[in-house]
Amino acid sequence: MAMQRIPGVRLNEFNVPRLFLYHRALVEVSKAGVSVVTSESLAELCANDVTPTQIRKDLSQLGTLGRRGRGYEVAGLLEMLARLLGLDQDWRIAILGFGYLGHALATFLSYREERFRIAALFDLAPDVVGQTWNDLTVRHIDDLEATLREQGGVDIAVLAVPSRAAQEVAGRVAAAGVDAILNFAPVALRVPEQVFARNIDLAGELSILTHYLTGSE
Amino acid sequence: MAMQRIPGVRLNEFNVPRLFLYHRALVEVSKAGVSVVTSESLAELCANDVTPTQIRKDLSQLGTLGRRGRGYEVAGLLEMLARLLGLDQDWRIAILGFGYLGHALATFLSYREERFRIAALFDLAPDVVGQTWNDLTVRHIDDLEATLREQGGVDIAVLAVPSRAAQEVAGRVAAAGVDAILNFAPVALRVPEQVFARNIDLAGELSILTHYLTGSE
DNA sequence: AAATGTGAAGAGGTTCACAGCG
DNA sequence: CGCTGTGAACCTCTTCACATTT
């Protein structure tokens, strides 16, 4: 599954998260009125999770964005990164499972500056279905296909359902034409070829920490 | 920051998540009564996110765990991985920020089979502080240090606070002796040398998806 | 002088191919 | 014969060093 946008430029799974890091840092300093950054100052802004060299390598890959002896123009770089990451456009998101997690995600996303739009909410608990949230009514997950059709579809499905339901729901959203899934359920999802799925695995992340804590005794 | 346990074995950030994947798959088949797996069947169980060769490489690194011509004993492998990942012991967890997200995390962890124990909850909203959840009282975040001291400390701090508060809270839990942090706030945390911090970045994950969706137009 | 851009070197994870055992 | 275990080849990302440009 290719991940690229600018002809001839190939971005990968290492690259994109870093570019997002740069974007976030630039948004920050941009607000503070900074108009130029160097690879060194940008690295500093990223809490040194990355080296100046790495930043220059990442950015030079995207074209000639900086000026030697000076640095990078914040505004131009921001716009470039936003376009590359797809953050310059609206994205319609469906949240499946509207328990505490689904609720947290909906709230979090609606407050952010990125153009993530919550377009549909689904659950199956009788006391949750029919609730409204920000003018949106929570639909029954049985009506998934009909609701998506009726509302013009969504770009991304966020799975906040119990593990046992995740695979089935993933299959259904994929069949309904959603090509991107962000899955919070701790299961290994099987999705069709064209679907791009990412997992956020809380227990997995914690086990990285516990491994570390164990090893450094 | 070294990440190892067995003398002479060095695990890294690529390795550990995979080992956790294997562990999860093995728990699954173990329940189904399977007692032996091959590297091929295990790869299949991991939804082919990994190759048989990769599995053999990962496991052989930990010692001679399999039997040629046969495969790997599920029980033994499970025990080995659990010990290595630190999943064979209790871990005390504090959740900071008890909004929807904090609540979701607490609930999620308390239902899991891993030995993650929610040991303390903190917030600062007047209507949240003082609530009880599973016999635990939500404490005011001002009382962080005192509460942790009084309760014997925690191993892991989970940050579910707003971005603007994250850095300060991280500094305080680190100062209180917590060496592992799982941060949900979208900021680049600066933590002391000995603290191991992982970020779960929802917006970052989404932007990987939006980049993909953008590029494959 | 200052900071980018980049070919080359380096490091490290992954895949291959097959030897080694049961 | 079947499947693990592994050295070597491979490949990709990272780092280095410095030429290049303003």
Side-chain angles (χ1 to χ4, degrees), chain A residues 18 21-22 39-40 42-55 58:
Chain A
R18 279 202 304 269
L21 218 72
Y22 307 157
S39 58
E40 198 177 334
L42 185 52
E44 169 63 28
L45 288 166
C46 294
N48 296 310
D49 288 343
V50 77
T51 63
T53 302
Q54 179 87 75
I55 291 177
D58 283 338

Side-chain angles (χ1 to χ4, degrees), chain A residues 98-110:
Chain A
F98 201 57
Y100 283 111
L101 179 59
H103 214 123
L105 300 174
T107 306
F108 175 82
L109 291 178
S110 64

Side-chain angles (χ1 to χ4, degrees), chain A residues 91-98 102-103 105-106 109 116-123 133 136-137 139 141 143-145 147-149 151-161 169 173-174 176 178 180-184, chain B residues 202 206 209 213:
Chain A
W91 295 101
R92 294 167 58 78
I93 296 180
I95 294 182
L96 295 104
F98 201 57
H103 214 123
L105 300 174
L109 291 178
F116 300 129
R117 314 295 184 208
I118 308 297
L121 301 171
F122 297 94
D123 206 298
W133 178 91
L136 260 185
T137 302
R139 301 303 185 90
I141 212 156
D143 302 329
L144 177 70
E145 293 78 4
T147 305
L148 289 186
R149 213 160 33 231
Q151 304 199 345
V154 296
D155 302 299
I156 301 173
V158 176
L159 266 57
V161 300
V169 173
V173 296
V178 181
I181 295 177
L182 188 58
N183 170 44
F184 281 83
Chain B
L202 176 61
L206 279 175
L209 294 176
L213 290 172

Side-chain angles (χ1 to χ4, degrees), chain B residues 163-213:
Chain B
S163 303
R164 63 180 176 285
Q167 181 59 60
E168 192 207 323
V169 173
R172 284 177 61 190
V173 296
V178 180
D179 285 343
I181 294 178
L182 188 58
N183 171 43
F184 282 83
V187 293
L189 281 190
R190 288 150 212 273
V191 294
E193 182 74 31
Q194 83 282 1
V195 175
F196 193 51
R198 302 263 317 168
N199 297 300
I200 293 185
D201 188 340
L202 176 61
E205 294 292 331
L206 279 175
S207 82
I208 293 173
L209 294 176
T210 59
H211 167 70
Y212 165 71
L213 290 172

Side-chain angles (χ1 to χ4, degrees), chain B residues 26-36 74:
Chain B
L26 289 170
V27 168
E28 205 69 25
V29 293
S30 165
K31 283 182 193 162
V34 175
S35 63
V36 176
V74 171

Side-chain angles (χ1 to χ4, degrees), chain B residues 1 4-6 18 36-37 41 46 60 69 77 89 96 102 135 140 144 150 154 163 181 189 193 199 205:
Chain B
M1 147 182 342
Q4 57 176 86
R5 177 102 190 269
I6 301 172
R18 280 201 305 267
V36 176
V37 293
S41 69
C46 293
S60 73
L77 195 50
Q89 51 188 296
L96 295 105
D135 295 332
H140 196 288
L144 177 69
E150 170 187 309
V154 297
S163 303
I181 294 178
L189 281 190
E193 182 74 31
N199 297 300
E205 294 292 331

